[in-house]
Amino acid sequence: MKRSMPRFDIVGQLGSLRRYARSLTRDSTDAEDLVHDALVRAYERRDTFRSGGNLRAWLLSIVHNASIDKMRSRRSEAARVEQAGYLTDASTPAPQEHSVRLAQVREAFFSLPEEQRSALHLVAIEGLSYQQAADASGVPLGTLMSRIGRARAALREMENAAPSPAKSHLRIVGDPS
């Protein structure tokens, strides 16, 4: 005998979910992302919904928990970025030209969106394979590769927009040119 799954009226709950997510995030785009994540979780855990239970309350609790998870993730990422900043500040200063260039690269890297910066860091700095980085980030391989591609494109764009040292009006003292 198969147990029938309860019928979910998710569409009827979307208004409540969006309003609650908007109140938690204070941003409509983040609220939509939160609702999407919560609905994915609800679908994955649909077996835990008690037949005859309050679907709206169950879904709202999933939105709430997803919001807390996102907030913790952001705090954790901010702490890692801060720690990385301490490590870079403790390094030995490079010669002037290299120091300036390194500062420009660091500034460009830290200006990337969090997801892109994290993906690029795992692959380019930590040396993880794409699959290992995807597993560590908890995202599909294609998503990770897309984030890395967008990060690299953004860094190339920043590189092309920045004046190169060769075009600079400054010259090194003692330089015959």
Side-chain angles (χ1 to χ4, degrees):
M1 222 182 203
K2 287 187 178 179
R3 195 175 81 163
S4 65
M5 292 298 295
R7 185 149 191 261
F8 288 159
D9 178 24
I10 300 296
V11 175
Q13 304 300 324
L14 286 177
S16 295
L17 298 177
R18 286 181 175 136
R19 281 191 303 274
Y20 185 52
R22 172 83 176 156
S23 73
L24 292 172
T25 63
R26 299 184 191 118
D27 180 76
S28 59
T29 304
D30 289 343
E32 284 297 320
D33 289 343
L34 183 59
V35 168
H36 176 266
D37 292 347
L39 290 176
V40 168
R41 286 185 187 187
Y43 179 76
E44 291 171 346
R45 298 179 179 115
R46 64 189 179 276
D47 294 337
T48 65
F49 180 70
R50 288 178 291 163
S51 183
N54 186 336
L55 177 64
R56 182 173 176 230
W58 185 69
L59 290 171
L60 289 173
S61 69
I62 293 173
V63 169
H64 178 78
N65 292 336
S67 173
I68 290 172
D69 290 347
K70 279 187 178 285
M71 185 175 21
R72 286 178 181 157
S73 175
R74 286 185 183 133
R75 285 182 186 158
S76 176
E77 176 67 19
R80 285 193 302 272
V81 168
E82 185 177 343
Q83 289 300 318
Y86 292 139
L87 294 174
T88 58
D89 291 341
S91 65
T92 305
Q96 185 62 31
E97 288 178 39
H98 298 293
S99 180
V100 169
R101 182 70 187 128
L102 182 60
Q104 291 170 339
V105 170
R106 182 179 25 208
E107 183 178 327
F109 180 76
F110 283 126
S111 70
L112 292 171
E114 177 181 329
E115 297 87 12
Q116 293 176 16
R117 187 177 59 246
S118 174
L120 189 60
H121 177 91
L122 290 173
V123 171
I125 297 174
E126 298 300 328
L128 297 180
S129 71
Y130 282 0
Q131 186 62 57
Q132 290 170 329
D135 293 343
S137 300
V139 298
L141 179 61
T143 301
L144 178 93
M145 292 172 70
S146 176
R147 289 177 181 175
I148 291 172
R150 288 192 311 265
R152 288 177 175 161
L155 291 175
R156 275 192 299 274
E157 186 177 312
M158 289 178 209
E159 174 68 20
N160 292 336
S164 68
K167 297 178 187 174
S168 175
H169 67 282
L170 300 174
R171 66 182 179 97
I172 298 174
V173 177
D175 185 7
S177 54

